[in-house]
Amino acid sequence: MKSENIKIHKILDEAYESANALVGTGQMPDFIPALEDIDPKRISISLTDMSGNTYCAGNYDGKFSIQSISKIILLELAIREVGEETVFSKIGVEPSGTGFNSLFRLELLEKKPANPFINPGAMVSASCIKGRSLEEKYEKFRNLAGELLGNPDISYSKEVCHCEMTTGHRNRALASLLIANGIYDGDPEEYLELYYRGCAFYASTSEVSRFGAILANDGIKPGTETRLLPKHHCELFRSLMATCGMYDSTGKYAVEVGIPAKSGSGGGIIAAARGKAGLAVYSPELDGRGNSVCGMQALKYISEHLNLRTY
Ligand code: GLU
């Protein structure tokens, strides 16, 4: 094994140890009851380099609900469907300064969602997908997710989706408020379900880190010559990840880790260090801002020790 590979394995193992020391200090995601009973000790860490090699560490190699990580994929699909200009006439590109399911800004400040990575922003992305039925729209979403995550058989958890459809009252209010604000028309229940199905996609950190590596490699799948995303979209996504990706800890994360990332409330985080690596971490306990406690620690350790900071 080459010395570079040995070094990456060693750093990932050390990152796992430093993250593992924080198990028990966060809270399980109680706003999605279907995710409450997961073993809080699960930690999974993956890194994909620019040659397409994937390295893993941790005590869990299963799949997890990717939640908000899916918002990147939904945004890509929305842009493909109606074009960037139309999408960003309905969604801003600024940090919201409020929670991901807050109604505050839409009611009192401006009619359109602040950015595509908060829930109403993702609902607007969902409203841009064309199709005769929810199933037809979902199939487009699933195909793109399968391509970017390298798993054509990807599927969503009906249990998690159903749970969110029945308990996500704030999201339902947001979906309706966007109609009242004149941002979209049509069936808000359908947009909500399309959005929730994406949140309920299940993937492993290896799959998510390969997607991160595509973003880091300006759209070319590492180790191949296949372009999966336009370079400009990767620049857009990384910029949004850097400014809006980590809920209300985006500034703290930027200071401590310095790699564009998108966090999901299921405990997963994707990160893309341009020209260097894609990363994914998963551990279900969250801090008060909704980010994985152990996941953040692992990213901090890896960024520092493999010199992955990009800003
Ligand atoms: N499904 C979650 C919700 O809509 C996603 C939130 C997130 O991961 O940011 O509340």
Side-chain angles (χ1 to χ4, degrees), residues 11-33:
I11 299 297
L12 294 198
D13 285 342
E14 289 170 7
Y16 167 74
E17 290 305 331
S18 77
N20 195 36
L22 298 182
V23 169
T25 62
Q27 297 289 323
M28 292 301 284
D30 57 358
F31 63 97
I32 305 177

Side-chain angles (χ1 to χ4, degrees), residues 31-32 67-68 71 100 119 164 171 195-196 199 247 264-265:
F31 63 97
I32 305 177
Q67 290 294 320
S68 252
K71 288 174 177 152
F100 58 79
N119 293 0
E164 292 209 75
N171 284 336
Y195 160 68
Y196 277 144
C199 290
Y247 306 120
S265 58

